[in-house]
Amino acid sequence: MKYNPSEIEAKWQKFWKENETFKTLNTTDKPKYYVLDMFPYPSGAGLHVGHPLGYIASDIFARYKRHKGFNVLHPQGYDSFGLPAEQYAIQTGQHPAVTTEVNIARYREQLDQIGFSFDWSREIRTSNADYYKHTQWIFIQLFNAWYNKVSDKAENIASLVAVFEKDGNAGVQAVCEEGIEIFTAVQWNAFSGDEKEQILLNYRLTYLAETEVNWCPALGTVLANDEIKDGLSERGGHPVVRKKMKQWSMRISAYAERLLEGLNTIDWTESLKESQRNWIGKSVGASVIFKLKESTDTIEVFTTRPDTIFGVSFMTLAPEHDLVRKITTPEQKEAVEAYIEATSKRSERDRMADVKKISGVFTGAYAEHPFTKEPIEIWIGDYVLAGYGTGAVMAVPAGDTRDYAFAKHFGITIKNIFNQDISEEAFVEKEGFVLENSDFLNGLAYKEASAKAIEAIEALGQGKGKTNYRLRDAVFSRQRYWGEPFPVYYVNGLPKMVDKAYLPILLPEVEKYLPTEDGQPPLGNAHTWAWDTVNNKVVSNDLMDGKTVFPLELNTMPGWAGSSWYWMRYMDPTNEEFIASEEALNYWQNVDLYIGGSEHATGHLLYSRFWNKFLKDMGIAPTEEPFAKLINQGMILGTSAFVYRIEGTNTFVSKDMIQDEKVQQLYAYVGLVNNSSELDMEGFKAWRPDYATADFICNANGKYIVGHEVEKMSKSYYNVVNPDEICQEYGADTLRLYEMFLGPLEQAKPWNTAGISGVFGFLKKLWRLYADDTAVVVVNEEPTKEMYKSLHKTIKKVQEDIEAFSFNTSVSQFMICVNELGQQKCHHRAILEPLAILVAPYAPHIAEELWSMLGHTETIADQPFPEFKAEYLVEDAKEYPVSFNGKMRFKIELPLDLSVEEIEKLILADERTQAQLQGREPKKLIVVPGKIINIVG
């Protein structure tokens, strides 16, 4: 009976599928445990060996919790809307649904062959109408809600309307747009319906507004900040510019404080929490209004240092600030316009990160200092962002490093307001100074001066104390086809929601997936995309009459829409009426363990926490936080291979032959390189057409040697390893164990295929404990004390390691245990049955087969986890080193319960002792029980 992984794994994957082994019920007496992987996007490239790392870890934990008696929910699905499928559709004309289906089939095939314990009966896909119907419904709830600062929660917009009807808006404390005009109840009730709707848009949690966005002309869409790198789109590397567009936005800023506070209640790594804290960016300070010289306009700034108000030397506006073009003088117009154009090509992230480059332009305009009335130059600079704070800063170079550098660069006067030397650099501390040259603040320190400055600013009517957040409202519109359609139509240019009874609003068919010729999103190409309010259905655009048939929204929702609530849908995925039943939501509560990549720290994880908190306010989500514990798995790194082409030629020189030539370092497919770093030159020529005529300068042995570098595993680096190949040659259990064995889950680690064979050898050793070449060799005899010791050491270690997510050390312990049992010639059922259960979370296929070989007919997946018994690890004997005059001569094992006198008697009687003494009487015999024996002769 030889270990045949391909046969065994196919058998048990079929068994699990046919018997629905991992199907989870919502009604059970068992305690619940919800294990979830971050929502995967099914790419056409399929999985490489780096992708399953987190899935294997979550699967081990899910299987372990099942063994420990929990009702485990471990689902899987697909975040199947997205830009890659749309770009492929643009290139090929093939509908994104077709390529998405093909990609999902490939993904599912690969996931199944690795043996995950997913409950596939709960599979969801965000691009399925029965899913995005509920995403549309959640959007409507957000539209029909406002944030009440008094109750500190979202409430239905009807409650706000009731306040307006009774008292107007003067006393309303809401998270809303700045500068809303005050109106009375009489005025509100006199407004037209359209006027009321326009006002309510300033309060709704999702709203339409002119917003600065990241526009990618090549992709024809808006991109989120985390979809841009170095001013280029992450997808395709296309230029991205900043421009204003009318967009749907989500008022996530309403939840800024709750998002901060919630971090104290969840089990996440401190680094991940800190990323979110920084992104939310809470600052306490003051809002200050500066009047403009020769203008009725004002500039509002937020500052965390109101104590430095007398140190303001200039002001800087974001290039996109609404006032820039209005206040710029004719003499400065050309320079300002050129700077605005240049800045529009840089992403906000790049501008924030670039602290070395100093650039800016004077507008020619001046503001007025609120106290001294002195003129203050107004500049623009790209280090100020339109979306952060007010898009303007009061520059105090004496107390701010960036302002100091800006002032030095442009020769602006730096006024010292501290009793400190600032001749070389700004003084940025909040302690160890008193103010000077600061009028009524002279002689005061930071805290007292800040409070007094705010009091004076408020007395002037030119500001107030304020808490500010860096977190900005999230743009929610995308100029794409392949996304959730908005359930929105427009009457007189104002948005109206489609009633829940008529959801979903399905994606229409379009002839092409590019924007229209006049720049409208791809849905502008749809011929049937208007809403009939009489018959409540989508109808032909030709029927639009502005009376009963109206245009539908042409944008679609962003990719994060569907992934911001998906964990709830797994709880009750076939519910047609609601996102999930109240019973299911109350049973599962939230995700107990969430595993995924750290790249989602400030995108998905913030948006999903926001939506969860909103749904909690609406009485739907049972918990404030969606993910109780979160682990970021590290990255599996690939070993890239490089060839070296002499510039201007198609000749490649071996790495060890490079001399003075100028060479280009180019990636080569790692599959063309052997373990000795030798390139398959003929294979390389056949790999790509542009290399077909390649010439090679080889070394003295006729070999072409490549270079190597360990870096991210990526198909663009041609360094990916396909898990299918590993599974076919060694089996999925080997792959699972090896990925865990590579190193700690949360650390990055390089892939080395050479190590696979060692793990495969371990599984063959494990197999031989149960069977030889012809038959099962398990016996029913009582195991020895040493066998029990090996088993219970492993039970203890594996349980502790799984609970601590230290999977690599578990694999090491399995190897130690199997080696020990092999040396002990252990084939004993009492040892091998619990050992199979211990191994099952890690290598489930071989564990099922071994369990079956032991005579069991039920699955091992439901067996209780072996119980650790400490008594098997209690030592009852000790191996003593016996020394003569300090030199160890032999060892002897003695019971630990012997007295000193009994040990002395046994040692002196031992023939080895007599041989050492040669008839002499020992001068002294030293015995330390449990430690040493020393004879002085």
Side-chain angles (χ1 to χ4, degrees), residues 639-660:
T639 301
S640 299
F642 296 101
V643 291
Y644 305 92
R645 183 169 61 186
I646 298 174
E647 286 188 5
T649 74
N650 208 19
T651 299
F652 294 81
V653 57
S654 179
K655 184 184 180 184
D656 53 355
M657 297 297 290
I658 297 173
Q659 295 177 0
D660 298 327

Side-chain angles (χ1 to χ4, degrees), residues 309-310 368-374 439-440 453 456-457 460 462:
I309 187 74
F310 286 97
E368 178 185 276
H369 194 283
F371 295 115
T372 68
K373 308 306 178 186
E374 293 174 352
D439 200 86
F440 60 87
I457 290 164
L460 271 181
Q462 284 188 241

Side-chain angles (χ1 to χ4, degrees), residues 777-785 787-788 824-833:
V777 294
V778 177
V779 297
N780 293 319
E781 299 168 5
E782 179 64 17
T784 66
K785 180 178 63 176
M787 293 175 189
Y788 276 121
Q824 296 157 10
K825 298 187 172 15
C826 175
H827 303 291
H828 298 61
R829 179 180 294 274
I831 301 297
L832 299 185
E833 282 194 341

